[in-house]
Amino acid sequence: MSKLHHVHVYATIRVKVAVTAEDHAGAMRQAEGIVGTGIFPVRLLPNAAAVLEAESAEEITAFLVDEADDPEFENSCSYDAEYRALGAQDVPP
């Protein structure tokens, strides 16, 4: 019998950010500060003034599968991109 699953897909995206800096290292630090603030500035549509565009990098790194009728997540499992189950120490961030 089929049942409802909630699948979290850990996908890589590319975010293009406009910054003004003295050098590449400074530019990367500024871009990381914009993208890595904890409040992600894009929803695959720009959501911050400095974000010029965003798109999927067409890379899936992992999955987390929850069964909808399992409120305690006892049957949840993390998998790598090739659908191999991961151990507790390998769970994606």
Side-chain angles (χ1 to χ4, degrees):
M1 176 187 334
S2 296
K3 46 184 161 170
L4 180 63
H5 293 82
H6 296 152
V7 180
H8 307 258
V9 179
Y10 294 87
T12 301
I13 64 167
R14 181 186 63 80
V15 179
K16 183 177 181 180
V17 180
V19 298
T20 302
E22 297 286 325
D23 56 21
H24 285 197
M28 288 184 288
R29 280 192 287 277
Q30 286 186 50
E32 184 176 33
I34 292 166
V35 173
T37 60
I39 301 170
F40 197 63
V42 295
R43 293 184 180 189
L44 293 186
L45 295 172
N47 195 26
V51 176
L52 302 178
E53 67 182 60
E55 69 182 1
S56 170
E58 299 180 14
E59 176 186 18
I60 293 175
T61 58
F63 299 91
L64 169 62
V65 181
D66 298 326
E67 294 179 6
D69 63 350
D70 178 25
E72 300 298 321
F73 305 106
E74 293 175 355
N75 296 320
S76 295
C77 189
S78 292
Y79 298 87
D80 68 12
E82 284 77 38
Y83 312 137
R84 292 181 297 236
L86 299 174
Q89 71 279 3
D90 301 322
V91 175

